Amino acid sequence: MSFLKKMSVLALSVAAAASFSTNPDLAKAEGFALQDWSARGAALAGGLVARGGDAASVSYNPAAITELEGTQVLFGGEYIHPINTVVGISGVSKHSETKQYFAPHGYITHKYNDFLSFGFGAFSRFGLGNSYGSAFFVPNAVYDVELITFTVSPVVAWRVNDNLSLALGLELAYGDVDFNQKVNPVPGVNGFMGMTGNAWSPAFNLSVHYRFNDQWKAGFVYRSHNDFDFSGNLKGTNLPMLGNIATTGSAKLYTPDSYTLAVAYYPLQELSFEAQVQYNTWSRYSELAIKIDPPYSGLTSSSVKDWRDTWFFSLSSEYKLYDWLTLRGGVSYETSPVREDHADFIAPAHGRWKYGAGLGFSYDNWTLDVAYVYHDILELRYNHSDYKTTADHIDDAHAHTCSFSIGYKF
């Protein structure tokens, strides 16, 4: 099969994935920064930065695609089911609405010669989904928010020598947001404001992959931030001094730069371990401000976020039990960007643990990877926030995710 035909196969796969990602009824993900860009990567808690090994390296560490032979494709997706409960001061509580979301992924890599490799990926770097319904008991709170993003990324990797590879990637992200907030100027008065909008945002990545010997490998990836300038429709109901409005507006969402370093160790050819650390500059997200267009120019809805930078740590193991079966497992911990004095209901978490497990099946040139991840989201309290008179804490916050990836080597 020619390279153009191979590209056509993946283009159809990615187009199908993109149709899901832009469908607001299907493709929504809980959490702000996403790490599960393939089933194998999900089971390994993101542990493909130093390992590499399949076409998903386009997202985890593009420099590692120089180790892939021929042309390889991989596509699939992740189903996400988040759950949490807001507990009030008076004992009243509100469960988050039961929803299931889907985040797709698709990749292709091609080894042009011994020194140059190309890749293309389509995946989601950021996503957010949380809803309590318009009857949410907390006044002046965001009760429903959904952020969908989908990134396409062409990469080129250069094998400097037998040990060192470097890569440069471009990223173009599409974002779609749906935001709804209660507006209660005085007790007993219920107003609502909502905005839907979309935006495009460019970014880039730089990566390094180094093979010390048959037992040790390392990887480093820098990803620049995506800043989304959302513009779209804005509606208000029973707003102070404005009543009901229907106009347009804009909002800017700041995302972090990320720096990831990982080391992989192979005590046996069939067995590997990877340790990873990542630093994210979430302090760039200091404020959420919505600007309202004419005829209400000059009006803004603004709230301080003052997020802090975060750390992500993971440890994973992979064992090839048979030629056709591989066992995988991983655990990660992520610190929270949220300061309790600015805690809200957009990202109701105070850090999280993730526990993943998965299986990899091989037959001829085909692979099938499946994974399950449990997200244990740590308790967030509101006793120092603007909502302290009505909300106490988030209880029983967790999420279940199941993912699959199908790969083929030409």
Side-chain angles (χ1 to χ4, degrees), residues 30-33 84 127-130 132 142 145 282 285 305 307 336-339 342-351 377-378 380 382 394:
E30 195 276 336
F32 209 156
N84 71 74
L128 187 67
N130 205 35
Y132 303 101
V142 173
V145 60
W282 276 114
Y285 183 45
K305 299 304 174 185
W307 279 17
S336 173
V338 178
R339 299 181 189 273
H342 296 299
D344 58 24
F345 306 94
I346 295 177
H350 201 53
I377 302 170
L378 304 184
L380 178 65
Y382 294 95
I394 296 288

Side-chain angles (χ1 to χ4, degrees), residues 85-94 136-138 345 382 390-396:
T85 301
V86 179
V87 178
I89 294 294
S90 63
V92 65
S93 63
K94 179 65 176 177
F136 190 35
F137 65 87
V138 180
F345 306 94
Y382 294 95
T390 52
D392 185 70
H393 68 280
I394 296 288
D395 187 45
D396 192 28

Side-chain angles (χ1 to χ4, degrees), residues 351-372:
R352 60 180 172 178
W353 287 89
K354 292 168 60 177
Y355 306 93
L359 300 173
F361 302 93
S362 300
Y363 176 75
D364 196 18
N365 291 334
W366 291 93
T367 60
L368 170 64
D369 300 317
V370 293
Y372 167 77

Side-chain angles (χ1 to χ4, degrees), residues 30-342:
E30 195 276 336
F32 209 156
L34 306 179
Q35 301 276 0
D36 299 345
W37 301 320
S38 73
R40 180 172 173 238
L44 295 172
L48 296 180
V49 174
R51 272 193 188 94
D54 63 29
S57 295
V58 171
S59 58
Y60 287 100
N61 185 349
I65 70 172
T66 60
E67 294 195 332
L68 304 180
E69 297 296 329
T71 301
Q72 302 190 18
V73 298
L74 186 80
F75 64 92
E78 180 178 47
Y79 293 92
I80 306 163
H81 179 45
I83 303 169
N84 71 74
T85 301
V86 179
V87 178
I89 294 294
S90 63
V92 65
S93 63
K94 179 65 176 177
H95 299 289
S96 60
E97 294 186 353
T98 300
K99 295 184 178 182
Q100 294 182 357
Y101 309 137
F102 181 75
H105 56 260
Y107 309 99
I108 184 169
T109 64
H110 178 68
K111 188 172 185 177
Y112 181 73
N113 56 36
D114 288 342
F115 303 100
L116 200 60
S117 295
F118 299 97
F120 178 84
F123 56 100
S124 181
R125 283 192 62 196
F126 302 99
L128 187 67
N130 205 35
S131 179
Y132 303 101
S134 59
F136 190 35
F137 65 87
V138 180
N140 298 308
V142 173
Y143 65 86
D144 182 89
V145 60
E146 292 176 345
L147 169 68
I148 306 164
T149 71
F150 196 67
T151 295
V152 293
S153 178
V155 301
V156 57
W158 173 40
R159 187 179 183 182
V160 180
N161 53 44
D162 290 343
N163 304 99
L164 176 64
S165 293
L166 308 174
L168 169 66
L170 301 179
E171 299 182 4
L172 181 62
Y174 171 80
D176 191 283
V177 68
D178 187 350
F179 176 92
N180 294 281
Q181 180 174 4
K182 298 184 70 174
V183 181
N184 306 97
V186 295
V189 176
N190 290 316
F192 302 92
M193 185 178 72
M195 178 183 173
T196 59
N198 55 71
W200 292 89
S201 176
F204 70 94
N205 60 72
L206 300 170
S207 57
V208 180
H209 189 260
Y210 193 85
R211 176 183 286 273
F212 295 92
N213 50 45
D214 290 340
Q215 287 190 307
W216 291 94
K217 296 194 291 186
F220 173 80
V221 181
Y222 164 73
R223 292 187 181 278
S224 71
H225 54 268
N226 285 108
D227 287 346
F228 294 95
D229 289 302
F230 290 106
S231 60
N233 297 319
L234 190 147
K235 293 182 179 180
T237 303
N238 201 23
L239 298 179
M241 297 181 293
L242 295 177
N244 300 336
I245 65 172
T247 182
T248 56
S250 62
K252 191 160 187 174
L253 177 64
Y254 298 90
T255 68
D257 299 282
S258 69
Y259 306 81
T260 307
L261 177 65
V263 176
Y265 173 57
Y266 291 75
L268 303 171
Q269 185 178 359
E270 300 82 8
L271 177 64
S272 67
F273 300 92
E274 178 169 322
Q276 181 184 135
V277 59
Q278 183 181 101
Y279 181 71
N280 301 289
T281 61
W282 276 114
S283 57
R284 302 187 70 255
Y285 183 45
S286 59
E287 179 186 35
L288 177 62
I290 298 176
K291 297 181 180 179
I292 305 176
D293 294 337
Y296 309 98
S297 295
L299 296 178
T300 62
S301 172
S302 178
S303 58
V304 175
K305 299 304 174 185
D306 193 25
W307 279 17
R308 54 193 167 201
D309 296 342
T310 63
W311 291 92
F312 173 89
F313 307 93
S314 74
L315 182 64
S316 60
S317 177
E318 183 174 53
Y319 180 62
K320 190 171 185 178
L321 183 61
Y322 303 110
D323 288 341
W324 58 273
L325 177 63
T326 301
L327 311 180
R328 302 179 179 120
V331 59
S332 68
Y333 172 71
E334 185 176 4
T335 64
S336 173
V338 178
R339 299 181 189 273
E340 289 198 348
D341 52 343
H342 296 299

